[in-house]
Each structure stands twice: as structure tokens, then as C-alpha cells.
């Protein structure tokens, strides 16, 4: 069964460093998303991506964040200068139409 | 601004009984609702959905009911099994040509005891 895969499963980084979280969406899907879940809180929408551009983003997705689909298969989330409060589980998702399918998540720990 | 609310953070049910998870929403323009199940350290897994034009959708042991006038939906699991123990998230979307953002509730942790 096709699935969304995310790497790495756990990323530890120093505050102020740049991180890139990687995702391989399901191959025939057209819509791509990043969500995050801070420990103990709800899953929050960050950004959606369609037709090679951002289609929607939340107030969380500020200038520190960017997304890219560099090669037609990967979908990346870059955080330029990480802050302690960026520590969370980051989930990538993709959809064709209807429901979104999520990856297993990347746990980002900023120290 | 919490557009999707799950007011019960946890629920405990005996195996074989019915589990009822509730969800309320504030935006009457939502046109699609979904339930996701999440185990610790895993991504949310899609469970069942319902379009706003329907009031019930059933898939095996899982049934979702939608009451648009009350802006309320519920997920029924019958019979509940220990493997159903997980966090259940209600989500709602406004669909558009450019995709959509899932608005999640805070989740309800279901524990099914033997």
C-alpha cells in the first residue's frame, strides 16, 4: 500500500541552526501539506502546496519556514533558524482528492 | 480560534461496548469532516469521513453521524476493541481548487479496557 515517508524520524539541532525535514508523498497525489504537533497540543496546520506553489499557510508559517518540491518526488520543509519552541512532531501529508494521508512524522528537538 | 472542538480529552470504555466520540465545530461552511486515529509516535491515520450533504456514514465498526443544525458530529465504534485505544482527532475542511487545510480538534484519548 502506498504511503507517505518522512526522514529523519528524529532530528536534534542546536538553536539557531537550519534544519530540513524531508518527505516523499504518495506518487500520484497533487496536494501536499505540513502539519506539526507540539507535545501535548493539537495537530496544527502549517502550509499546503499545490501546482508547485504554496496555496495556503497559517500564521505559524512565518519567514523562518519554507517549502520546496525540488525534484518532483520530495517535499521538504526548511526552518532557517530554529527556536526552542519549534520542537515538535512535524507531519507531512499528501492527498489526491478527499482525505489526506500522513507520514509517520519527524520529531524535531531544538536544544 | 478553535473552529473544531473535542471537549472530552479522554474516554474509557469496556471491550465490546460502544465508544462515542464527540466533536463540535463553529464554521458552518465546512463541507467535509474526517476522523483520524493516532497512536503514540506515529502519524495520524485516516479512519472515516463524511460529506456535509450526508448525515451518516458507516464503515464496518465505525459510524460517523453529522448533525449540521447543531454543528456536531460523532464517531461510534461498535463493538470497541482494545486495539482501538488511541487518540482520535476530528478534522474539518473547506475544500477549494487549491487544496485544503485540515482543522483539527485537540483529540480524545480512547482507552478500551478488557
Amino acid at each position: 500500500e502506498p504511503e507517505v515517508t518522512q526522514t529523519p524520524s528524529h532530528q536534534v539541532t542546536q538553536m539557531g541552526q537550519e534544519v530540513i525535514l524531508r518527505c516523499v508523498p504518495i506518487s500520484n497525489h497533487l496536494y501536499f501539506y505540513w502539519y506539526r504537533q507540539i507535545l501535548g497540543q493539537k495537530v496544527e496546520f502549517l502550509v499546503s502546496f499545490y501546482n508547485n506553489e504554496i496555496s495556503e499557510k497559517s500564521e505559524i508559517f512565518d519567514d523562518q519556514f519554507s517549502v520546496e518540491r525540488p525534484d518532483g518526488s520530495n517535499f521538504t520543509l526548511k526552518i532557517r533558524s530554529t527556536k526552542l519552541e519549534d520542537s515538535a512532531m512535524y507531519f507531512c501529508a499528501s492527498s489526491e482528492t478527499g482525505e489526506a494521508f500522513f507520514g509517520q512524522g519527524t520529531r524535531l528537538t531544538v536544544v | 480560534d478553535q473552529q473544531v472542538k473535542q471537549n472530552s480529552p479522554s474516554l474509557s470504555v469496556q471491550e465490546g461496548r460502544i465508544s462515542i466520540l464527540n466533536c463540535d465545530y463553529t464554521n458552518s461552511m465546512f463541507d467535509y469532516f474526517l476522523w483520524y486515529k493516532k497512536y503514540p509516535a506515529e502519524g495520524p491515520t485516516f479512519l472515516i469521513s463524511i460529506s456535509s450533504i450526508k448525515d451518516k456514514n458507516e464503515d464496518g465498526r465505525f459510524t460517523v453521524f453529522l448533525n449540521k443544525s447543531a454543528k456536531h458530529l460523532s464517531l461510534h465504534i461498535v463493538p470497541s476493541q482494545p486495539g482501538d485505544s488511541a487518540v482520535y482527532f476530528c478534522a474539518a475542511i473547506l475544500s477549494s481548487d487549491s487544496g485544503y487545510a485540515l482543522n483539527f480538534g485537540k483529540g480524545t484519548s480512547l482507552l478500551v479496557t478488557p
Side-chain angles (χ1 to χ4, degrees):
Chain A
E1 185 178 316
E3 59 181 15
V4 177
T5 56
Q6 290 185 243
T7 55
S9 56
H10 191 188
Q11 174 91 44
V12 180
T13 188
Q14 280 197 320
M15 190 170 58
Q17 294 296 304
E18 174 184 286
V19 292
I20 298 176
L21 308 182
R22 303 181 190 279
C23 170
V24 179
I26 295 173
S27 61
N28 62 330
H29 285 186
L30 301 174
Y31 304 97
F32 314 106
Y33 314 85
W34 282 100
Y35 288 79
R36 77 172 186 190
Q37 186 182 27
I38 295 171
L39 186 65
Q41 298 186 24
K42 70 168 186 170
V43 179
E44 301 173 293
F45 169 74
L46 293 178
V47 66
S48 59
F49 193 86
Y50 170 71
N51 202 25
N52 288 319
E53 61 183 20
I54 290 174
S55 50
E56 197 171 346
K57 61 183 180 179
S58 71
E59 61 276 6
I60 302 168
F61 195 87
D62 60 22
D63 292 342
Q64 293 285 81
F65 292 88
S66 63
V67 289
E68 198 176 33
R69 191 159 159 76
D71 56 12
S73 62
N74 291 285
F75 180 52
T76 61
L77 174 70
K78 182 192 289 186
I79 309 174
R80 286 191 185 79
S81 179
T82 50
K83 304 187 282 285
L84 293 175
E85 53 264 38
D86 293 328
S87 296
M89 282 290 288
Y90 287 80
F91 295 104
C92 172
S94 69
S95 68
E96 189 178 11
T97 57
E99 64 273 8
F101 293 83
F102 284 80
Q104 297 282 66
T106 293
R107 178 174 297 283
L108 176 64
T109 303
V110 182
V111 297
Chain B
D1 179 28
Q2 191 75 15
Q3 296 193 71
V4 178
K5 300 175 186 177
Q6 293 177 256
N7 292 318
S8 298
S10 63
L11 175 67
S12 183
V13 172
Q14 266 194 324
E15 182 178 6
R17 302 283 180 98
I18 182 172
S19 296
I20 300 177
L21 299 120
N22 293 304
C23 178
D24 298 294
Y25 60 95
T26 57
N27 190 341
S28 59
M29 300 301 291
F30 285 137
D31 50 12
Y32 207 63
F33 302 91
L34 308 94
W35 283 94
Y36 280 84
K37 178 179 177 180
K38 186 180 180 303
Y39 293 113
E42 292 186 13
T45 304
F46 170 73
L47 198 56
I48 192 169
S49 64
I50 187 166
S51 164
S52 61
I53 63 173
K54 295 190 174 182
D55 56 18
K56 179 182 174 181
N57 188 26
E58 196 170 350
D59 183 4
R61 297 186 296 114
F62 303 92
T63 303
V64 57
F65 295 93
L66 175 63
N67 182 335
K68 284 188 70 176
S69 61
K71 296 194 183 73
H72 176 85
L73 66 155
S74 61
L75 174 68
H76 292 212
I77 307 173
V78 184
S80 302
Q81 299 173 354
D84 296 330
S85 298
V87 178
Y88 289 79
F89 291 96
C90 169
I93 61 173
L94 285 164
S95 58
S96 72
D97 290 339
S98 58
Y100 54 84
L102 288 163
N103 291 274
F104 280 94
K106 289 190 174 182
T108 296
S109 179
L110 173 66
L111 176 65
V112 180
T113 56

